[in-house]
Amino acid sequence: MAADGRLRIDGIRPWPGAPDPSGVPLIGRERELAALASFVTAPEGRALVLRGEAGVGKSALVGHAAGLAGREGHALIRVTGVEAESELPFAGLHQCLYPVLDRTARLGARQRALLDVVFGHGTGEPPSVMALGIAVLDLLSPAGAERPLTLLIDDGHWLDDASAEVCGFVARRLAAGPVKMLIALRADERSRFDDARLPELPVAPLSDEDAERLLELHRPRLDARARRTVLDHARGNPLALYELPPGPAAPHPGGSLPGGAGLPLPRRLQLLYAARIERLEPGTRAELLRGALDGTAGRQRGGDHGTRYRMRGVEEAAASGLLDVDAAGGDFVFRHPLVRSAVVQLATPEQCRAAHAELARVHRADVERYAGHLAAAAVDPDESVAAALEAAAGSATRRGGAAAAVSWLTRAAELSEDPAQRSRRLGDAAYTAGQAALLDEAQRLLHRSEPEPGAAEPLAAVLTSAHADFVQSGAVRPAFQRLAAAVERRADGAARTGDGTLSRDETLTRDETLARAADALVTMAHYAGDPALWQRTDRILDALGDLVHPLTAMYHDASAVARSGVGLRARLERAFADPANLAPWDLARLGVCASHVDVLNQYRTQLRGAVEREQEAGAVSSVMVLLRMLMLDRMYSGEWDEARRLAQRALDLATAHGHVLLAYHARACLGQLAARQGRLDEARELQSAVDAWARPRGVGLLTQITEAIATGAALTEGDFEAAYLYAIGMTPPGSFDRHAHQIAPRALLELAEAALYSGRREQARRHALAACDAGLPEASPRLALSAYGALAMTADDLTEAARTYARVEAYPEAQDFPFELARIRLAHGIRLRQLKAPRAARQAPLLLAAEEFDRLGATAWENRARAELREVGLPSGPAAPEPAALTWQERRIADLAASGLTNKEIGERTRLSPRTVSSHLYRVFPKLGITTRAALRDALSRLPEADGTDRTDAAG
């Protein structure tokens, strides 16, 4: 940064041996050079990806672009991805922003706080990609406004995922400003940039003709045989053409160059640096090794997460072409990743361990890098190193790196001195792998800790295998039975300990596996919906007492909200108030609890941030759960399009990772949404698919949700008799059994509507009163609204109807659930009609209902409300539509229905299925402007006689 605060231009030297951009053009790169010239000189901001194999010349093209940008007066920031820190979140972003970090004072407080969190200066939840990306844009754009700014990212495939996601987000939004971003990626290395949808310029190997030209230009003294050998081995790779041994090649015993025929090209090229490295002084080689093992790239800022080792006294290596000088910071950097790899390969194991030990001392303040270097320096088991690795695993998990944490924990197990600690850490690694959706890896880890002959299978092993069976095949009951037995054995074994070893309390207090197993039992019992499984779970939790994790207890109570939901909201507030100590699977549990008591909207931002942070390399299983919870929140709040997108994401993620149970749960949620929206064919298709899979497996929760889908579809269609029959499949009227009818509280309003509209007001009333007795209004705002609404729509007289409905309208959170509120308003209007209330009293709730249904796109429900409005003589609003023409089949079915026949009886006469009859009536009702069968006869009397209508049939 210049003294005047402006970003200075960095001079960029090309790689040694590469053509200077101001001199001879790069051979065979005319297309690429033209594209880069257009990129650099474009007046607007742009992003471009150079993609090609290692050594193909991407770095030379980046250097060429740097020269062009420099001559255009651009300020330059050059970044190099480093393999050694590809698992350290935001390390790459620190490189990108280091030259402009002194400008953070110009940002707002919130944006400064975001950058402080990711760079280790502050505390708090890691920000979402969007929030952090906006902060980065706000940091770079003013710098670019002073002088065009070009950000050059070489070896971008080695940037950590978090940094790559942010850079990709920023790159997609550069068009509006003066900042450009050029990213070089290896074609054979996966990176988060692959999903960024940025413009790409492929960099292919040179053609045979261009390869010969390049070799002739730079190595004219090679004889024909050596030339042919070089060309055959280089295969158009420019770095190989430059670096394969200079001068005439002596014949090799195998007929090939040193390194052996058939070796992969990167390996052969690494060997080419051996002579230069071996000629260096031992001290210089040791310094290079420390830089190579730490991923040196010329950044040093004490204690920061982006700190890397700074090589000193290595001018000899720079003179030999192994190092370059970073123009931005003036530090020595490796001229190519292959040089770094060669330095490590040529070092002995003892030299590498010594270098790692020194680096551990340098990075003592960085928990993850410190642990990594300590572990690499260790030979024998060492409990202190294992503990450091365990701490690093916790850090990685909280940063959204659960997959990386598995590696930390596995290495910690290897270095454990105590067999019990080794087993525990392997169990932790397996559990974390399961949460990261790495189920095969979880099983493999447990196989490394086989029990002694005759000993019971360890609880960690049972937990891992039961979890895999549960999510992969839906084997809910077998998985539960196996895990429950293991938990009981574990607790009983500890209780019998009396030989001077740990007491029961001491043993179980330290047993995190036991707590995780208890949590899994609650989940499995919830999905099974079987009273016997719930009762066994309750006995186990009661036996464990205070050893049950508070979040597990909360999760248990939320699963039985009908009797245990009171007070959950306050407990949730306390739990969410300390996010720093929550693992991602803890957040998933809290999300489920918040959804059960319908307050997830209060924690949307925090849970959405967890989804974005964890979805790639974090706790992917938790992401599947959180996406579903967020979907239900959006569905209840009336944001149906977003709800559908979230459910589809959950389905795609579960399917991709083989979590079949969670995939079917996502389908069930999509079915519920489709029923609300009136996409009835889709709803019934999903209902059928979920039911066919879940029922044979005993997944009671999902089979109850299929009943809810069918109830919602029938209500939307106006087939209230069918809706009632489906609704009582979830629970009998007046029953909220916490074990057998888990979906019943959430379907409270649906059962009341179905009973009321099918002529069973007494059953609807009994259900509403039972909901209040079960404490549902105190447990959840949506359940409170539903319970009060059910009381209003089943009131015995006008006075009670007015009083209970006023409570609905006055309820503070009623507007948070627009579809439920609109249905209650419609039902209240209908109940007022039944109680013969004045027409004027019915207009207000009906008009509000119709408007809300229209906003939501719930057409069938809106038509029902409009029909009721027409009966009260609505003075304004949409005019009553003229009755639409019915097809012959529709007219025939309508006549038969008007005569009092059921769908089944109509089907027998017309040789149609009852479902087809129902579909025809669903289309007939809106055409006639009615919502019930009772109105059919009057509506049909206003139509002209249809030619060919079978009036004899209609007469019965």
Side-chain angles (χ1 to χ4, degrees):
M1 202 67 62
D4 62 359
R6 292 170 60 86
L7 201 65
R8 65 177 172 83
I9 300 175
D10 296 322
I12 301 293
R13 293 195 294 114
W15 295 118
D20 190 298
S22 62
V24 180
L26 295 170
I27 301 257
R29 297 301 185 200
E30 291 78 9
R31 178 180 64 89
E32 291 85 351
L33 296 178
L36 289 175
S38 175
F39 169 82
V40 169
T41 58
E44 74 282 358
R46 287 187 180 183
L48 181 65
V49 169
L50 301 177
R51 190 183 295 276
E53 66 181 25
V56 80
K58 302 182 298 297
S59 296
L61 289 169
V62 170
H64 180 87
L68 292 177
R71 291 201 301 278
E72 291 291 323
H74 292 203
L76 302 175
I77 297 177
R78 189 159 187 169
V79 175
T80 302
V82 181
E83 185 178 14
E85 59 181 46
S86 60
E87 293 183 357
L88 299 179
F90 303 112
L93 186 63
H94 185 271
Q95 274 201 78
C96 295
L97 299 185
Y98 184 82
V100 292
L101 282 180
D102 58 349
R103 292 171 169 258
T104 55
R106 307 180 190 182
L107 296 176
R110 182 174 179 276
Q111 292 172 313
R112 289 199 306 273
L114 294 179
L115 293 173
D116 284 342
V117 167
V118 300
F119 292 146
H121 295 306
T123 59
E125 193 73 8
S128 67
V129 171
M130 177 178 291
L132 186 53
I134 294 300
V136 172
L137 280 169
D138 287 348
L139 184 61
L140 293 178
S141 294
E146 297 177 7
R147 178 174 298 175
L149 174 62
T150 297
L151 179 62
L152 306 163
I153 302 178
D154 205 0
D155 291 330
H157 46 275
W158 279 335
L159 253 63
D160 59 279
D161 287 351
S163 297
E165 284 189 343
V166 174
C167 289
F169 177 95
V170 170
R172 290 193 297 273
R173 291 159 175 81
L174 294 178
V179 180
K180 293 181 170 63
M181 186 183 297
L182 182 65
I183 307 160
L185 303 175
R186 280 191 186 174
D188 56 352
E189 292 279 353
R190 175 79 177 139
S191 86
R192 292 297 297 135
F193 283 113
D194 297 345
D195 301 323
R197 302 187 304 280
L198 300 176
E200 288 196 5
L201 178 62
V203 184
L206 297 176
S207 67
D208 291 346
E209 180 182 353
D210 288 329
E212 289 188 22
R213 287 175 55 207
L214 182 62
L215 196 59
E216 175 63 25
L217 179 64
H218 293 282
R219 306 175 70 179
R221 298 183 180 180
L222 288 180
D223 61 27
R225 179 174 177 175
R227 184 183 301 279
R228 187 70 264 158
T229 302
V230 169
L231 289 170
D232 287 345
H233 282 263
R235 298 176 187 173
N237 186 286
L239 185 59
L241 292 167
Y242 275 112
E243 298 292 344
L244 286 171
H252 191 265
S256 61
L257 294 176
L263 288 175
L265 183 60
R267 172 65 176 167
R268 291 199 304 270
L269 294 180
Q270 288 170 9
L271 295 177
L272 297 178
Y273 300 108
R276 276 181 276 177
I277 294 170
E278 289 170 346
R279 284 195 296 267
L280 298 174
E281 293 292 327
T284 301
R285 288 186 63 177
E287 188 73 0
L288 258 60
L289 181 58
R290 287 188 286 271
L293 291 173
D294 201 47
T296 292
R299 298 287 179 264
Q300 180 74 8
R301 190 175 179 179
D304 277 2
H305 185 70
T307 301
R308 282 186 291 276
Y309 187 76
R310 189 173 190 175
M311 294 184 290
R312 302 177 185 278
V314 289
E315 288 78 5
E316 178 189 6
S320 67
L322 296 171
L323 302 179
D324 201 352
V325 178
D326 179 66
D331 297 328
F332 289 109
V333 293
F334 290 101
R335 57 158 293 190
H336 193 280
L338 296 178
V339 179
R340 192 163 54 233
S341 299
V343 169
V344 176
Q345 286 189 1
L346 291 168
T348 67
E350 292 78 9
Q351 289 169 335
C352 288
R353 286 193 292 271
H356 280 298
E358 175 63 26
L359 290 168
R361 286 188 286 273
V362 171
H363 295 301
R364 184 173 292 276
D366 186 323
V367 62
E368 293 178 35
R369 185 167 291 159
Y370 170 69
H373 286 303
L374 271 184
V379 177
D380 300 317
D382 186 321
E383 186 57 32
S384 65
V385 178
L389 284 166
E390 198 167 2
S395 174
T397 298
R398 289 188 293 274
R399 283 176 169 270
V406 175
S407 299
W408 295 107
L409 289 167
T410 303
R411 181 62 174 148
E414 293 170 351
L415 293 174
S416 299
E417 297 176 350
D418 178 22
Q421 291 284 43
R422 179 179 187 276
S423 180
R424 179 184 65 80
R425 285 165 177 148
L426 280 175
D428 287 348
Y431 179 81
T432 306
Q435 295 300 314
L438 304 171
L439 299 179
D440 292 342
E441 174 67 8
Q443 295 283 8
R444 187 187 66 78
L445 285 166
L446 289 173
H447 290 157
R448 299 175 59 176
S449 181
E450 296 292 343
E452 296 180 4
E457 187 178 12
L459 179 58
V462 178
L463 173 60
T464 298
S465 61
H467 172 74
D469 290 345
F470 173 59
V471 298
Q472 287 183 310
S473 62
V476 179
R477 295 170 190 272
F480 176 91
Q481 301 292 0
R482 194 163 72 252
L483 182 57
V487 171
E488 290 163 344
R489 283 196 306 271
R490 174 71 184 85
D492 291 345
R496 290 192 297 269
T497 298
D499 56 358
T501 59
L502 290 174
S503 69
R504 176 179 184 275
D505 286 345
E506 291 172 323
T507 301
L508 296 184
T509 298
R510 302 194 322 189
D511 197 339
E512 192 170 5
T513 301
L514 188 64
R516 290 167 175 168
D519 193 74
L521 287 176
V522 173
T523 301
M524 292 174 186
H526 178 59
Y527 269 91
D530 184 334
L533 269 59
W534 266 122
Q535 289 160 12
R536 188 173 180 183
T537 301
D538 290 345
R539 287 195 300 270
I540 291 172
L541 297 184
D542 288 344
L544 294 177
D546 293 341
L547 301 175
V548 176
H549 195 285
L551 294 186
T552 300
M554 190 189 310
Y555 184 32
H556 169 271
D557 293 345
S559 298
V561 69
R563 298 294 172 187
S564 310
V566 177
L568 271 175
R569 282 181 278 178
R571 291 160 68 186
L572 275 168
E573 287 180 12
R574 291 193 294 271
F576 271 110
D578 188 21
N581 292 319
L582 294 174
W585 37 90
D586 294 331
L587 280 173
R589 281 186 294 182
L590 289 175
V592 172
C593 296
S595 178
H596 278 290
V597 294
D598 299 296
V599 293
L600 191 139
N601 60 332
Q602 299 176 25
Y603 310 106
R604 267 188 194 178
T605 302
Q606 191 170 341
L607 297 180
R608 193 63 185 260
V611 166
E612 299 305 321
R613 185 179 66 250
E614 303 290 336
Q615 63 183 343
E616 289 300 328
V620 178
S621 293
S622 297
V623 172
M624 300 175 200
V625 174
L626 286 173
L627 284 171
R628 194 175 67 247
M629 297 303 103
L630 288 165
M631 175 268 172
L632 290 172
D633 174 55
R634 296 302 175 98
M635 182 178 79
Y636 290 130
S637 66
E639 300 167 79
W640 289 350
D641 290 342
E642 177 62 14
R644 191 173 190 184
R645 283 191 289 270
L646 288 167
Q648 191 61 51
R649 280 182 65 187
L651 174 57
D652 292 344
L653 193 62
T655 301
H657 288 85
H659 282 48
V660 180
L661 175 73
L662 300 185
Y664 273 100
H665 201 160
R667 290 187 181 95
C669 292
L670 282 167
Q672 290 179 282
L673 178 61
R676 287 179 170 234
Q677 292 182 295
R679 293 181 283 109
L680 300 185
D681 289 343
E682 179 184 339
R684 286 171 175 141
E685 222 175 272
L686 289 163
Q687 173 211 352
S688 178
V690 174
D691 189 73
W693 182 85
R695 198 171 293 276
R697 292 168 172 81
V699 189
L701 176 65
L702 296 191
T703 58
Q704 289 181 36
I705 294 177
T706 64
E707 302 282 5
I709 296 170
T711 302
L715 284 172
T716 297
E717 191 174 39
D719 190 347
F720 303 124
E721 184 67 26
Y724 182 74
L725 294 177
Y726 283 122
I728 61 176
M730 292 182 280
T731 182
S735 174
F736 291 95
D737 188 302
R738 63 177 293 180
H739 294 317
H741 309 128
Q742 297 180 141
I743 200 68
R746 310 196 73 75
L748 157 63
L749 186 60
E750 284 78 0
L751 191 149
E753 289 172 305
L756 180 67
Y757 294 149
S758 65
R760 298 176 174 88
R761 188 183 72 85
E762 289 184 9
Q763 287 90 329
R765 182 71 174 175
R766 184 163 74 247
H767 202 58
L769 292 170
C772 295
D773 291 341
L776 296 188
E778 290 76 33
S780 148
R782 190 175 73 87
L783 297 182
L785 178 67
S786 298
Y788 300 151
L791 290 174
M793 67 178 69
T794 59
D796 291 323
D797 54 50
L798 286 173
T799 301
E800 184 188 357
R803 178 178 59 80
T804 51
Y805 178 70
R807 192 174 187 182
V808 168
E809 290 293 351
Y811 191 65
E813 293 152 300
Q815 300 296 332
D816 293 342
F817 310 99
F819 189 54
E820 280 75 7
L821 180 58
R823 285 155 52 200
I824 291 168
R825 286 167 169 167
L826 171 60
H828 178 62
I830 293 172
R831 185 60 183 152
L832 291 179
R833 170 168 58 78
Q834 294 169 343
L835 294 172
K836 304 189 184 309
R839 290 188 172 189
R842 294 154 51 193
Q843 285 186 4
L846 291 173
L847 186 58
L848 288 171
E851 290 173 347
E852 190 59 53
F853 288 138
D854 177 50
R855 186 190 70 80
L856 291 169
T859 305
W861 289 90
E862 181 191 0
N863 290 341
R864 199 170 298 156
R866 297 286 182 199
E868 288 289 335
L869 281 167
R870 286 192 290 275
E871 291 197 22
V872 300
L874 178 69
S876 61
E882 291 294 326
L886 302 182
T887 66
W888 177 85
Q889 185 77 292
E890 289 171 345
R891 179 60 186 260
R892 183 185 185 204
I893 290 171
D895 283 333
L896 292 170
S899 71
L901 298 183
T902 66
N903 287 359
K904 183 178 181 182
E905 291 168 336
I906 296 171
E908 291 171 351
R909 293 203 180 197
T910 58
R911 297 188 178 182
L912 299 172
S913 70
R915 177 171 290 184
T916 302
V917 172
S918 178
S919 296
H920 278 295
L921 288 174
Y922 173 67
R923 291 190 291 271
V924 165
F925 282 15
K927 288 185 177 183
L928 297 180
I930 62 174
T931 60
T932 66
R933 284 171 116 93
L936 266 172
R937 187 178 295 277
D938 289 342
L940 290 171
S941 68
R942 297 193 295 269
L943 292 179
E945 286 292 323
D947 292 340
T949 300
D950 190 345
R951 303 305 292 175
T952 304
D953 263 350

